[in-house]
Amino acid sequence: MSTVIRRVFNGNGRGSFVQPINSPVAFKGSTIVASITEVDANGDSFVGSARMTVHNVAPRDGQYVIWVNIEWPDPLAYRLNVLVSND
């Protein structure tokens, strides 16, 4: 198998939540690394005033689950960038 890099998920949110993401390249034995960034109305990444963190990532067959926290009172647009390795 190979390593795949994908921008996989764009969303809006706030607070602490778990985000499941379907992926045909993910398996329960995959190594998955994720980062989060705030995005503007054009979809461009930027560092704003809100603190955004990824806490845990759990691979599953055909899916992975990411625990995210966005410290802001209103929902913000974000992008999860993910590296899936099956090597």
Side-chain angles (χ1 to χ4, degrees):
M1 298 202 177
S2 62
T3 299
V4 177
I5 299 173
R6 279 202 180 146
R7 181 184 74 195
V8 284
F9 190 82
N10 290 299
N12 288 290
R14 68 177 186 85
S16 184
F17 56 95
V18 173
Q19 181 64 62
I21 301 172
N22 294 328
S23 172
V25 299
F27 303 95
K28 63 183 177 182
S30 297
T31 298
I32 299 178
V33 178
S35 67
I36 188 170
T37 184
E38 191 169 352
V39 293
D40 64 19
N42 296 320
D44 295 324
S45 299
F46 71 98
V47 177
S49 297
R51 186 171 17 197
M52 297 182 161
T53 53
V54 171
H55 292 282
N56 298 75
V57 182
R60 309 249 192 282
D61 288 339
Q63 182 184 70
Y64 43 91
V65 180
I66 303 175
W67 179 11
V68 172
N69 190 49
I70 299 173
E71 295 181 33
W72 200 252
D74 302 308
L76 295 176
Y78 66 90
R79 175 179 303 126
L80 291 168
N81 297 289
V82 178
L83 167 69
V84 179
S85 177
N86 292 313
D87 292 336

